[in-house]
Amino acid sequence: MSVMKIDLHINHEDVPTERYSEVRDPGRLTDVVGQVGIGTVQHVEQAVNAAHQAFLSWRKSALEERLDVLSRIAKLLEDESQSLAETLSRENGVLLSTSLGEMNMAIHAVHATIKNAESFFNPKQAEDEISWVSVEKRPIGVIAGIVPWNAPMVLTIQKIAPAIVTGNTLVMKPSPNAPMGVSIIMKKIAALLPAGVLNVIHGDGDVGSALTKHPLVRKISFTGGGKIAKFIMKDAAESLKGVHFELGGNDPAIVLDDADLDDIIPKIMVSAFRRSGQVCFATKRIYIPEKMYDSFYTKMCDLVDQYKIGHGLDPSATFAPLNNKVQYDFVKALVERIKQSSAKIVELGEKLEPDNWDNGYYLHPAIVRDVEPSQEIVTCEQFGPIMPLISYRSEEEVIRWANMTEYGLGSSVWTADFERGLKIAREIEAGMTFINGSGQSHLGYEQMPFGGVKQSGIGRENSELGLHEFIEYHAINYHKTS
């Protein structure tokens, strides 16, 4: 395959740079997917100024015009799905079927934004004998969007769509570990918009910091890890700009004693091992009643052992490599520490290409049993294919353990009794809880605000509440003459 070259894209123009970095295939490290231009602080200045100038007119555009642009973006994503999915799988390592699913999610995100925006801007008005009041929604200005590598397409679109439809402009910075697919589509999306409304930069820490500190950037929308979020928050403080964070999680799955294990274990596996565990709201720890523990462990091991580990574009593969060396080394070290503990870890799955194993970031999916509730694998965000199983004796105990973390993104409850599941769900400290599911349903994707509590984030994405992240309120009070 040919090696793509990606430049910065500012004010409708491709901007070449003096330095380019390689993007390599995580499943075949000898393959270079593309080269990405590394920008400078001066490029940030150029991009933000272009976005600011564009904002002065884009903020006055009619809602109908913005909705029409979103409809064309959805059509563009549909037309480009196959080629973009292949690029995504080559640069971040995930299965092609997963990348195609991500493209569908991105398309759905645009349609959901259109649906939620149609009545969003109706002002709230009130009047009495002496005055009239109108509370109106207005765009913020230039938005800095920073997205990660694990699901780059849908996470990028979930920032672009609501920001554009609310009248803002953007400077987007993709992850250096998966910049290709999103940069390709953002350039095409930018062409549907006035010059400067959507700009794309790449670069190192100095570029990121220049973007988050820039006084003309009015809000930072960041999806990623808590450590980087803290640096961004410090940068934002210099000009008191707003922040919108979707961060990590340590999502518990609570299995109740009336659950049908044959029914629920395959569903829990979808959440635990999708993208090889590299999902912020993936299940990261499973709590099982003591009397069901051994049966759950045996059944889950049998199913996990059926995974076929291989390259993301291999049609035979059902389990893909990790994305990058930092995460790969972290998870490998975590496995070694578990092996030195009293817990038992079993590594499962079949290697499809043993000769290529060391040419990629491949790991076996692993199950850990006989683990303590406070052990590292239970309390950390492993962001990889290791699943701890914890035995519990009472509902009070499991709720306490589920909440014994500074994370609070997603969670799930598995039961044959909806009312019982709902009662447990309402005790969990999380932004989202799924009952008998591992993610949002179609309706949930439209209506559920996505985000977490505690150190799992600030603000929400999706639903009408996601639009609120990109507007300011302007209140007008008219005093009638007597």
Side-chain angles (χ1 to χ4, degrees):
M1 295 184 182
S2 60
V3 175
M4 294 179 283
K5 189 174 183 180
I6 300 292
D7 293 320
L8 314 186
H9 191 75
I10 301 172
N11 211 27
H12 271 184
E13 294 184 358
D14 286 339
V15 179
T17 63
E18 294 182 358
R19 187 162 60 96
Y20 287 77
S21 66
E22 288 184 340
V23 178
R24 291 183 176 267
D25 185 332
R28 196 163 286 124
L29 293 171
T30 48
D31 288 357
V32 177
V33 181
Q35 296 179 329
V36 177
I38 302 300
T40 64
V41 171
Q42 288 71 33
H43 289 124
V44 173
E45 186 72 23
Q46 185 182 347
V48 173
N49 282 320
H52 177 66
Q53 288 302 313
F55 173 68
L56 299 179
S57 55
W58 180 246
R59 65 182 176 181
K60 299 176 183 178
S61 61
L63 177 60
E64 291 74 18
E65 178 183 353
R66 302 176 202 167
L67 291 173
D68 178 65
V69 169
L70 288 194
S71 295
R72 286 188 283 158
I73 291 173
K75 180 64 166 59
L76 178 63
L77 289 168
E78 290 172 8
D79 293 342
E80 302 282 339
S81 282
Q82 184 67 37
S83 63
L84 287 172
E86 291 174 5
T87 299
L88 288 173
S89 289
R90 290 187 67 212
E91 65 179 334
N92 76 350
V94 301
L95 299 172
L96 179 59
S97 59
T98 301
S99 293
L100 287 167
E102 183 181 344
M103 292 303 306
N104 287 331
M105 289 174 63
I107 294 164
H108 183 54
V110 178
H111 287 304
T113 301
I114 292 171
K115 183 176 180 180
N116 286 318
E118 287 173 343
S119 61
F120 178 73
F121 283 96
N122 294 336
K124 180 181 179 181
Q125 296 180 340
E127 186 174 8
D128 62 14
E129 298 81 13
I130 61 172
S131 71
W132 171 88
V133 170
S134 181
V135 180
E136 302 174 357
K137 302 180 179 78
R138 294 190 175 180
I140 297 172
V142 179
I143 307 296
I146 304 174
V147 292
W149 47 262
N150 61 323
M153 189 62 65
V154 68
L155 296 174
T156 294
I157 295 301
Q158 284 180 176
K159 298 187 189 304
I160 290 176
I164 285 175
V165 83
T166 48
N168 300 283
T169 58
L170 297 117
V171 178
M172 296 294 297
K173 184 178 183 297
S175 165
N177 290 317
M180 310 294 294
V182 291
S183 294
I184 290 168
I185 197 64
M186 282 194 288
K187 177 181 175 180
K188 294 182 179 183
I189 291 172
L192 302 176
L193 294 157
V197 172
L198 176 60
N199 309 274
V200 186
I201 62 169
H202 305 275
D204 300 324
D206 59 335
V207 169
S209 185
L211 179 61
T212 53
K213 286 181 178 178
H214 201 291
L216 288 178
V217 170
R218 302 303 186 193
K219 190 162 190 177
I220 305 161
S221 182
F222 169 74
T223 301
K227 290 182 180 179
I228 300 298
K230 291 175 183 177
F231 285 114
I232 292 174
M233 206 165 190
K234 290 176 182 177
D235 286 348
E238 291 194 8
S239 55
L240 295 177
K241 58 174 59 74
V243 294
H244 173 220
F245 291 155
E246 199 277 280
L247 307 177
N250 186 9
D251 295 19
I254 299 176
V255 177
L256 300 186
D257 57 14
D258 60 0
D260 180 344
L261 297 188
D262 291 328
D263 176 57
I264 70 167
I265 290 176
K267 297 174 183 177
I268 295 177
M269 279 177 54
V270 170
S271 177
F273 294 112
R274 59 184 155 198
R275 297 180 185 271
S276 302
Q278 299 169 116
V279 180
C280 58
F281 70 110
T283 293
K284 297 185 176 70
R285 48 197 168 117
I286 305 173
Y287 295 95
I288 305 137
E290 190 175 53
K291 66 180 182 180
M292 302 168 72
Y293 188 82
D294 289 336
S295 179
F296 188 102
Y297 171 77
T298 300
K299 290 176 183 290
M300 189 164 192
C301 286
D302 288 345
L303 287 174
V304 173
D305 202 36
Q306 295 175 25
Y307 277 126
K308 299 184 184 300
I309 310 162
H311 190 273
L313 296 182
D314 184 341
S316 301
T318 57
F319 198 89
L322 273 63
N323 171 264
N324 60 78
K325 190 175 189 305
V326 171
Q327 195 60 30
Y328 174 77
D329 288 345
F330 171 77
V331 176
K332 280 192 71 175
L334 191 55
V335 169
E336 291 306 311
R337 289 195 293 275
I338 293 168
K339 289 178 177 178
Q340 300 304 313
S341 74
S342 59
K344 176 184 177 183
I345 184 169
V346 56
E347 297 171 271
L348 302 161
E350 175 190 350
K351 297 178 182 179
L352 286 180
E353 294 182 86
D355 293 342
N356 188 57
W357 189 261
D358 293 331
N359 190 30
Y361 298 125
Y362 294 101
L363 288 174
H364 287 277
I367 305 294
V368 185
R369 65 163 295 159
D370 303 329
V371 60
E372 295 297 323
S374 59
Q375 198 164 329
E376 179 189 19
I377 183 57
V378 180
T379 60
C380 77
E381 183 186 25
Q382 65 269 45
F383 220 70
I386 317 174
M387 189 51 49
L389 310 183
I390 306 101
S391 172
Y392 74 88
R393 296 180 180 178
S394 69
E395 290 183 4
E396 293 76 16
E397 181 177 65
V398 74
I399 291 168
R400 184 174 73 254
W401 287 349
N403 292 335
M404 196 169 59
T405 174
E406 282 304 307
Y407 292 108
L409 185 54
S411 54
S412 60
V413 181
W414 303 84
T415 178
D417 185 336
F418 166 70
E419 292 297 335
R420 189 180 176 201
L422 185 60
K423 179 177 180 295
I424 298 289
R426 286 175 169 155
E427 295 291 326
I428 299 174
E429 296 170 358
M432 304 172 291
T433 300
F434 311 107
I435 301 175
N436 294 343
S438 57
Q440 305 104 309
S441 64
H442 188 85
L443 177 64
Y445 194 89
E446 289 183 358
Q447 299 296 325
M448 286 180 67
F450 186 99
V453 301
K454 298 190 277 191
Q455 292 189 26
S456 284
I458 297 173
R460 294 294 186 269
E461 291 187 336
N462 299 349
S463 80
E464 183 178 303
L465 289 181
L467 295 174
H468 282 274
E469 297 293 338
F470 296 99
I471 57 99
E472 302 279 15
Y473 291 94
H474 184 205
I476 303 171
N477 188 179
Y478 166 59
H479 294 260
K480 299 177 182 179
T481 56
S482 57

